[in-house]
């Protein structure tokens, strides 16, 4: 299992490890491959342009169109799962990893400037690193990846990108930073002059590094750190991390202020996060993620078999929650929200689309997308009000959906 492999490495690493304050190393890992041939990469995209067949919702409502889908990369002969989606202007950045005991991942850059004909403009593959999440610096010149390295455990990688989103770092130029003693980095976001990284499971926490040099700045250490998000990138905005205590499954939100990470502002208990129907070797890898809109205090939390909750971090009050009994055999892996709707990536149960309630806290499900001809577990979802990007498992890849 990945965790056991890392534990054995960590015991050895105690004899040779450097302090967290050391500068990052530069590496040319075997198996790092860069491909900027857009014509070749775009062959993995299939244009579809057909309406989603929704079930379980209202008789009339919004129209959603499946514009295209993109097959996931194959690393080490194994098809990867799409794990995370990030959009910046007309580019969409998608991360991939291999579930189970094997390692390998990728980052792909999609160009959606022509919304009916998306293309892939850049890809970097990693033979020994799962890539779990990504972010871009405020200026748009650096791409940060959070991952799990077969030998080093939790890592951050920094790549240079140009104005078109194309990766310009060669494999030898990739900056690799080991994150504490954790075995997996699962969330990353840039704010002010720093990047903030969540890493766990039995050891870890939130680590803060200079966004340019990647030199260690600060940390808040605790077990079960699962993800990190923010409601802005400037000093004074709020940063939120998710903790799921490994032995009890008790979950809490840790709230900080970007730019002054000296102490936690608040810790908000939110109940239990448990993942069901997960293979034993993947029991510690269930996705639990957060989402916040810019300048909003509502933090959406994916709760596994317990669905979704949204909490106002300024008042500690529950704002929204999924209907009781929504999850039967799947898990809510990710949540996104725009001005109109709330989207839940519910694993084996597909994509659920909801709207805020007229009263109370329970959201209203207006449609479920889970067509058999489009298989794959719903792992992550992101919406910007015009498009929805759904990251699915091995069979599904990336789905690009237009909201009419």
């Amino acid at each position: 299992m990945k965790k056991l492999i890392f534990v054995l490495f960590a015991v050895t690493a105690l004899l040779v490890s450097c302090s967290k304050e050391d500068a990052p190393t530069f590496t040319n890992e075997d198996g790092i491959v860069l491909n900027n041939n857009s014509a070749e990469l775009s062959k993995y995209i299939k244009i579809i342009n057909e309406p989603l067949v929704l079930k379980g919702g209202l008789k009339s409502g919004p129209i959603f169109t499946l514009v295209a889908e993109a097959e996931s990369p194959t690393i080490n002969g194994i098809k990867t799962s799409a794990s995370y989606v990030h959009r910046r202007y007309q580019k969409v950045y998608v991360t991939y990893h291999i579930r189970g005991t094997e390692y390998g991942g990728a980052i792909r850059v999609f160009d959606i400037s022509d919304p009916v004909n998306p293309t892939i403009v850049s890809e970097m593959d990693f033979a020994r690193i799962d890539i779990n999440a990504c972010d871009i610096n405020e200026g748009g010149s650096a791409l940060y990846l959070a991952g799990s390295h077969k030998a080093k455990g939790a890592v951050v990688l920094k790549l240079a990108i140009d104005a078109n989103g194309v990766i310009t770092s060669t494999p030898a130029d990739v900056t690799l930073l080991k994150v504490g003693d954790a075995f997996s980095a699962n969330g990353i976001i840039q704010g002010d002059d720093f990047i903030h990284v969540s890493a766990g499971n039995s050891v870890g926490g939130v680590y803060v590094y200079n966004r340019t040099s990647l030199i260690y700045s600060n940390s808040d250490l605790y077990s079960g750190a699962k993800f990190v998000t923010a409601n802005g990138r400037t000093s004074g905005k709020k940063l939120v991390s998710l903790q799921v205590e490994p032995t009890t499954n008790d979950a809490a939100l840790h709230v900080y202020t970007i730019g002054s990470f000296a102490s936690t502002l608040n810790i908000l208990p939110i109940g239990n996060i448990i993942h069901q129907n997960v293979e034993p070797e993947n029991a510690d890898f269930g996705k639990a993620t957060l989402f916040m809109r810019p300048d909003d205090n509502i933090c959406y939390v994916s709760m596994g078999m317990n669905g979704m909750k949204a909490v106002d971090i300024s008042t500690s009050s529950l704002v929204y929650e999924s209907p009781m009994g929504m999850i039967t055999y799947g898990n809510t892996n990710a949540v996104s929200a725009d001005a109109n709707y709330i989207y839940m990536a519910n694993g084996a149960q597909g994509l659920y689309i909801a709207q805020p309630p007229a009263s109370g806290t329970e959201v209203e499900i207006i449609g479920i997308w889970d067509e058999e001809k489009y298989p794959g577990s719903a792992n992550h979802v992101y919406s910007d009000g015009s498009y929805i990007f759904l990251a699915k498992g091995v069979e599904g890849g990336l789905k690009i959906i237009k909201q009419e």
Side-chain angles (χ1 to χ4, degrees):
M1 297 191 303
K2 288 183 181 178
K3 186 173 181 179
L4 292 178
I5 293 171
F6 175 69
V7 168
L8 291 173
F9 167 77
V11 171
T12 305
L14 289 174
L15 301 175
V16 297
S17 63
C18 298
S19 70
K20 293 190 289 288
E21 287 76 8
D22 287 342
T25 58
F26 294 83
T27 181
N28 183 5
E29 289 287 339
D30 292 338
I32 299 181
V33 177
L34 174 64
N35 185 350
N36 287 334
N37 186 331
S38 182
E40 175 185 316
L41 291 170
S42 297
K43 292 178 182 179
Y44 291 102
I45 294 180
K46 179 181 179 182
I47 305 300
I48 297 174
N49 282 324
E50 66 179 38
L52 296 192
V53 178
L54 300 178
K55 58 185 179 181
L58 304 177
K59 292 183 179 179
S60 62
I63 298 174
F64 298 94
T65 301
L66 178 60
V67 175
E69 62 180 1
E71 178 185 348
S72 295
T74 296
I75 308 295
N76 303 328
I78 302 172
K79 183 66 69 68
T80 58
S81 295
S83 53
Y84 185 80
V85 180
H86 176 77
R87 179 174 181 176
R88 175 71 67 88
Y89 304 124
Q90 299 304 314
K91 301 299 185 292
V92 176
Y93 302 80
V94 183
T95 65
Y96 300 84
H97 62 199
I98 296 175
R99 285 180 60 82
T101 59
E102 300 296 328
Y103 283 78
I107 176 73
R108 268 184 179 167
V109 185
F110 291 76
D111 186 331
I112 59 167
S113 55
D114 180 356
V116 298
N117 188 34
T119 59
I120 303 172
V121 297
S122 192
E123 175 179 320
M124 183 170 273
D125 298 341
F126 305 89
R128 299 179 21 159
I129 310 172
D130 289 336
I131 307 299
N132 302 319
C134 67
D135 196 25
I136 302 169
N137 69 345
E138 196 169 6
S141 61
L143 177 61
Y144 306 104
L145 310 179
S148 177
H149 191 288
K150 185 174 184 179
K152 296 178 173 65
V155 292
V156 166
L157 300 101
K158 181 182 177 184
L159 317 176
I161 54 177
D162 66 16
N164 295 313
V166 174
I167 299 169
T168 58
S169 293
T170 68
D173 295 331
V174 173
T175 307
L176 186 145
L177 168 70
K178 185 181 182 303
V179 180
D181 293 322
F183 73 90
S184 180
N186 45 50
I188 187 166
I189 192 163
Q190 179 259 316
D192 197 35
D193 292 328
F194 308 98
I195 58 169
H196 308 79
V197 185
S198 57
N201 193 30
S202 56
V203 295
V206 176
Y207 297 80
V208 185
Y209 301 93
N210 180 277
R211 71 178 187 178
T212 303
S213 66
L214 296 192
I215 292 175
Y216 171 84
S217 174
N218 211 331
S219 59
D220 185 15
L221 303 182
Y222 52 82
S223 61
K226 285 288 188 179
F227 203 73
V228 64
T229 190
N231 65 357
R233 295 179 176 274
T234 56
S235 180
K237 298 296 184 182
K238 295 299 182 286
L239 178 85
V240 183
S241 70
L242 174 62
Q243 178 185 18
V244 184
E245 216 291 324
T247 58
T248 65
N249 298 312
D250 291 335
L253 301 179
H254 293 234
V255 183
Y256 314 89
T257 299
I258 289 179
S260 56
F261 196 80
S263 62
T264 310
L265 286 178
N266 203 357
I267 298 178
L268 311 177
I270 55 172
N272 289 84
I273 295 180
I274 302 171
H275 291 83
Q276 63 183 345
N277 299 325
V278 178
E279 307 92 330
E281 64 269 23
N282 294 324
D284 292 328
F285 295 91
K287 290 190 72 65
T289 59
L290 306 174
F291 174 79
M292 296 186 76
R293 298 181 67 196
D295 301 314
D296 195 348
N297 286 323
I298 298 177
C299 182
Y300 296 83
V301 188
S302 64
M303 304 284 292
M305 64 182 290
N306 293 322
M308 176 276 295
K309 284 184 178 180
V311 177
D312 188 323
I313 61 170
S314 64
T315 63
S316 305
S317 60
L318 176 68
V319 181
Y320 304 127
E321 59 189 332
S322 53
M324 184 174 296
M326 178 187 75
I327 297 296
T328 54
Y329 57 91
N331 295 285
T332 302
N333 295 318
V335 185
S336 185
D338 55 35
N340 298 311
Y341 303 106
I342 299 165
Y343 307 87
M344 292 168 276
N346 284 344
Q349 291 184 222
L351 174 68
Y352 280 50
I353 304 171
Q355 62 185 11
S359 62
T361 59
E362 192 172 283
V363 299
E364 181 182 10
I365 306 298
I366 66 168
I368 301 167
W369 188 52
D370 189 28
E371 294 184 73
E372 290 185 3
K373 67 177 179 178
Y374 296 113
S377 175
N379 291 335
H380 193 262
V381 62
Y382 174 80
S383 171
D384 59 11
S386 298
Y387 286 87
I388 304 153
F389 304 93
L390 180 64
K392 302 198 79 176
V394 172
E395 306 95 333
L398 178 72
K399 301 293 191 282
I400 301 175
I401 300 166
K402 181 173 176 53
Q403 177 183 319
E404 304 293 342

